[in-house]
Amino acid sequence: MNKTYSEFDETYFKKLLENNSLYFDQQLKKFLKQKNFGILKKPIEYSISGKGKRLRPLLCMETSKVFNIPNDLSIFCAIAIECIHTYSLVHDDLPSMDDDDLRRGQPTVHKKWNEATAILVGDALQSLGFEALSTHEFNVSDKVKNKLIWSLAINSGASGMVLGQALDIEAESSRKQLELNEISKLQEYKTGKLIAWSCEVGPIIAGENTEPFSLYASKVGLAFQIIDDILDVTSSSKALGKKVGKDIDKNKATFVSSLGLDNSKKKAFELVSEACEAISSFKDRSRNLCQIANFIVSRQF
Ligand code: GRG
């Protein structure tokens, strides 16, 4: 693979993320504006319009660009995944789950409003995600649409992210610490499944083979989680916009507690190289995806 494409170009990536987030936020605003959410309008907009990195939308749109699929099509998938991701964050922050006061640099929904509102916002965002995919404005064939809806249901539900969350909660209440392979399995579901879906959007819309993208996603998903564990130890609440040091407080088994900081970093960098390799046959068209993988391990927020 061309070396310049596999090395992180921070300035190039920053511009890519900025442009994409700008476009995504404009389209999300337009999408939300048409809705009749009544008293739920404010808390829904508050949760999803917060300062998220918009990484999953970026993955949807960049895997689509590999196949020359325009933004005005992939945006529906980008909105869908951000709705599902935001729902998971709002529910994860609840006292019965991870119990957090701060998310995306602002008070969590149950702190700003109350628990019932946070549950309803999560429920509403989950439905809204599927609404974004099933709207007639998303102009793809019925076959493609069904596949996207079906695979998002699988990846986000009890065979996907929800299962990962259940395993995480179970592990917290167990006295036995998880082994490294169990931590990887849990994270493959909890964090990995939504990332996997985002990376398959392009080939699914194009009717192409999803395999290289699934492999890329599995590497990127794991690297993302390892860095999340590292940042929980090394970063600040101000930089991340959420509480830090939670894993140690809860005596939770993570990649850092299992491998140590240096080996965790090494593992994350190895995974990035493998991710870039997985899509290298797309040559120049894999550049942005490789830059995203590099950002994931270089990120400070
Ligand atoms: C409640 C069903 C249910 C699932 C919750 C995603 C999740 C499952 C919990 C979040 C807990 C957590 C910190 C997971 C680690 C990885 C992760 C998903 C971090 C947040 O994603 P970012 O960094 O967030 O992309 P932004 O705010 O930038 O979108």
Side-chain angles (χ1 to χ4, degrees):
M1 161 173 250
N2 185 334
K3 210 160 168 35
T4 52
Y5 285 179
S6 60
E7 276 166 10
F8 189 39
D9 182 341
E10 199 177 345
T11 318
Y12 176 84
F13 177 80
K14 244 178 125 179
K15 200 87 218 127
L16 177 74
L17 184 66
E18 257 174 40
N19 288 342
N20 209 282
S21 299
L22 203 70
Y23 175 75
F24 174 80
D25 286 343
Q26 277 167 356
Q27 297 302 312
L28 176 69
K29 211 169 167 185
K30 210 168 111 191
F31 178 76
L32 292 173
K33 211 173 149 192
Q34 312 154 4
K35 310 289 166 202
N36 223 333
F37 291 150
I39 54 169
L40 283 172
K41 184 177 163 62
K42 269 203 174 139
I44 287 175
E45 288 185 351
Y46 173 89
S47 67
I48 201 163
S49 308
K51 279 199 192 110
K53 289 182 285 301
R54 311 302 196 203
L55 258 183
R56 292 153 195 82
L58 181 65
L59 286 167
C60 291
M61 296 169 82
E62 286 302 330
T63 58
S64 295
K65 275 191 202 144
V66 171
F67 300 99
N68 293 321
I69 293 156
N71 284 349
D72 59 4
L73 266 192
S74 56
I75 188 68
F76 292 95
C77 299
I79 291 175
I81 197 71
E82 192 65 12
C83 286
I84 303 287
H85 169 57
T86 306
Y87 122 66
S88 81
L89 299 179
V90 172
H91 279 188
D92 185 63
D93 290 334
L94 284 165
S96 57
M97 299 239 185
D98 213 28
D99 193 8
D100 240 313
D101 296 354
L102 193 66
R103 170 70 65 185
R104 292 175 163 172
Q106 56 186 18
T108 46
V109 179
H110 69 273
K111 281 283 161 190
K112 176 101 178 158
W113 281 270
N114 50 54
E115 280 184 43
T117 303
I119 292 170
L120 294 171
V121 164
D123 293 342
L125 284 170
Q126 181 169 200
S127 302
L128 197 59
F130 288 98
E131 187 183 328
L133 286 183
S134 45
T135 171
H136 69 274
E137 288 168 80
F138 181 31
N139 193 12
V140 291
S141 71
D142 287 351
K143 191 172 161 212
V144 163
K145 205 174 262 199
N146 281 345
K147 188 156 184 190
L148 288 167
I149 294 170
W150 175 79
S151 56
L152 184 57
I154 301 292
N155 280 278
S156 61
S159 329
M161 176 186 71
V162 171
L163 176 60
Q165 179 77 344
L167 292 171
D168 199 18
I169 291 169
E170 186 195 52
E172 266 179 35
S173 56
S174 156
R175 259 176 288 153
K176 190 183 152 286
Q177 287 256 319
L178 293 184
E179 304 283 338
L180 191 59
N181 64 329
E182 294 170 309
I183 301 172
S184 302
K185 194 83 214 151
L186 184 161
Q187 298 304 346
E188 182 190 329
Y189 285 88
K190 183 177 153 181
T191 314
K193 292 290 180 180
L194 293 194
I195 292 180
W197 186 84
S198 310
C199 295
E200 286 168 17
V201 158
I204 291 180
I205 299 180
E208 296 282 349
N209 182 10
T210 51
E211 250 170 58
F213 296 86
S214 308
L215 187 60
Y216 164 86
S218 67
K219 308 287 180 188
V220 161
L222 198 54
F224 182 89
Q225 186 58 50
I226 294 176
I227 298 301
D228 214 68
D229 289 354
I230 292 175
L231 290 174
D232 188 66
V233 177
T234 59
S235 189
S236 67
S237 172
K238 189 164 183 283
L240 293 185
K242 63 180 183 183
K243 204 170 154 193
V244 292
K246 292 185 67 176
D247 298 336
I248 294 179
D249 288 353
K250 290 186 170 181
N251 195 25
K252 198 169 166 178
T254 66
F255 288 102
V256 174
S257 71
S258 187
L259 291 174
L261 259 181
D262 288 346
N263 281 333
S264 297
K265 272 187 201 156
K266 202 168 148 231
K267 174 79 187 156
F269 277 97
E270 279 167 13
L271 286 162
V272 166
S273 265
E274 289 165 15
C276 293
E277 196 52 47
I279 46 163
S280 60
S281 64
F282 292 92
K283 306 235 162 38
D284 299 7
R285 286 181 290 149
S286 68
R287 180 186 188 182
N288 288 357
L289 290 174
C290 191
Q291 289 296 314
I292 298 171
N294 274 284
F295 163 72
I296 280 170
V297 288
S298 315
R299 73 189 170 104
Q300 305 295 329
F301 61 99

